[in-house]
Amino acid sequence: MQWRGRRGSGNIEDRRGMGAAGAGGVGVVGMLAILAVGYFFGIDITPLVQGMDQGQPGQSRPLTEEDRQWGEFVSVVLADTEEVWAPVLPEQAGIGYVEPKLVLFTGVVQSACGGASAAMGPFYCPGDQRVYLDTDFFDMMASRMGAGGDFAYAYVIAHEVGHHVQNLTGTLGETSRLRSRLGERDANQISVLTELQADCYAGIWAREAQQRFGTLEAGDLEEAMGAAEAVGDDVIQSNAGRTPVPDSFTHGSAAQRQEWLMRGFNSGDMAQCDTFKAAGL
């Protein structure tokens, strides 16, 4: 992925050297309830991340050179999403693009949606229009999920920004209200459709980034497809030693995530990302 030497975003809030904010006693189930629409995974992946340093409240540490490199990378990717969505959203949806903030943190963090742990993966909080990311998650993607590579990591960021686009279009608010009135099975289906649309929006970003900046190198798209596969609910549940249960999926199967990522990439059209219409809703 070609990213070095390009503009970084001014919308980065770096909390990594400030000490970890306590999670406020919110457990795994509680965090899922609070942040269901924003989490990249939406299920407890603790079995996959046991042994990772999640940090303790009040701890702080100086940033390493690797930390600084990650910060630069994230800043450039976020800037690319700004460059893409600033014209695309008004052109295709008639809505002005409001840039989100991206919070870098270590271990645990507080957001307007509540407390969260890095073990839950990156997430978007509509309450404060911020993406939250512990870059140690990228190391876990590479070492424990077999989904490494800079474009795979960029896809993660673009997916969360996709949730921000959904927030601006009103989709997140509508789906949240709908889920609150449904039983678990139907609510899970709505969550899946919401996440697949964010994948499709990430595909639009990848297409536009290539056209505007020449971002993609050989193998980059395969990296993103590998990441989409690795974060499929069926793959996550299998890797956690569980039998995949489709009714419990909240983000979609590996095949679905790859399909919708490529639908966005191939079309570049937000109208082609209407997962709800495709599902007959």
Side-chain angles (χ1 to χ4, degrees):
M1 175 181 176
Q2 297 283 355
W3 65 271
R4 295 186 184 278
R6 295 221 311 276
R7 179 184 78 87
S9 173
N11 289 309
I12 300 292
E13 184 179 331
D14 196 341
R15 301 184 190 175
R16 292 175 297 173
M18 298 169 58
V26 181
V28 168
V29 175
M31 282 187 281
L32 283 174
I34 293 169
L35 297 169
V37 297
Y39 277 119
F40 192 64
F41 283 121
I43 64 173
D44 179 14
I45 60 166
T46 303
L48 299 182
V49 298
Q50 286 177 349
M52 289 179 62
D53 180 11
Q54 298 304 319
Q56 297 296 327
Q59 285 185 339
S60 61
R61 61 176 177 81
L63 297 182
T64 66
E65 179 58 30
E66 182 181 26
D67 291 332
R68 286 187 284 272
Q69 287 292 317
W70 278 129
E72 181 181 352
F73 169 77
V74 170
S75 178
V76 170
V77 173
L78 185 63
D80 283 359
T81 66
E82 295 164 355
E83 297 281 354
V84 166
W85 286 110
V88 168
L89 194 61
E91 290 169 3
Q92 297 193 17
I95 299 170
Y97 187 64
V98 178
E99 297 175 355
K101 301 286 186 181
L102 189 150
V103 178
L104 292 170
F105 72 96
T106 301
V108 289
V109 71
Q110 287 285 347
S111 75
C113 296
S117 164
M120 302 305 297
F123 66 93
Y124 172 72
C125 176
D128 57 19
Q129 296 193 13
R130 281 169 165 77
V131 173
Y132 289 82
L133 171 66
D134 184 333
T135 58
D136 283 350
F137 177 75
F138 295 150
D139 294 328
M140 191 270 283
M141 284 179 64
S143 64
R144 305 199 179 197
M145 302 176 68
D150 50 10
F151 202 72
Y153 310 144
Y155 154 66
V156 172
I157 298 168
H159 172 96
E160 297 306 333
V161 172
H163 284 311
H164 178 63
V165 173
Q166 291 175 314
N167 193 32
L168 295 177
T169 61
T171 299
L172 279 188
E174 292 177 13
T175 56
S176 179
R177 287 189 292 272
L178 181 59
R179 289 179 70 255
S180 69
R181 300 195 301 266
L182 297 173
E184 182 178 359
R185 178 179 177 178
D186 290 337
N188 286 346
Q189 182 188 18
I190 297 300
S191 292
V192 167
L193 297 175
T194 304
E195 296 299 328
L196 294 179
Q197 185 177 66
D199 280 334
C200 192
Y201 288 164
I204 292 177
W205 164 79
R207 177 190 178 95
E208 292 290 326
Q210 171 61 11
Q211 292 181 347
R212 294 168 186 266
F213 317 120
T215 299
L216 272 65
E217 297 178 310
D220 278 347
L221 198 56
E222 289 76 12
E223 286 181 5
M225 289 286 281
E229 177 183 15
V231 296
D233 284 319
D234 50 343
V235 173
I236 292 174
Q237 291 182 4
S238 293
N239 289 343
R242 303 166 182 161
T243 300
V245 180
D247 285 350
S248 72
F249 291 176
T250 57
H251 283 58
S253 69
Q256 288 175 314
R257 302 203 71 165
Q258 290 179 320
E259 175 189 351
W260 284 95
L261 172 65
M262 289 308 301
R263 186 175 297 202
F265 182 82
N266 290 328
S267 71
D269 183 2
M270 292 179 68
Q272 296 300 313
C273 295
D274 192 342
T275 54
F276 305 95
K277 182 179 180 180
L281 299 178

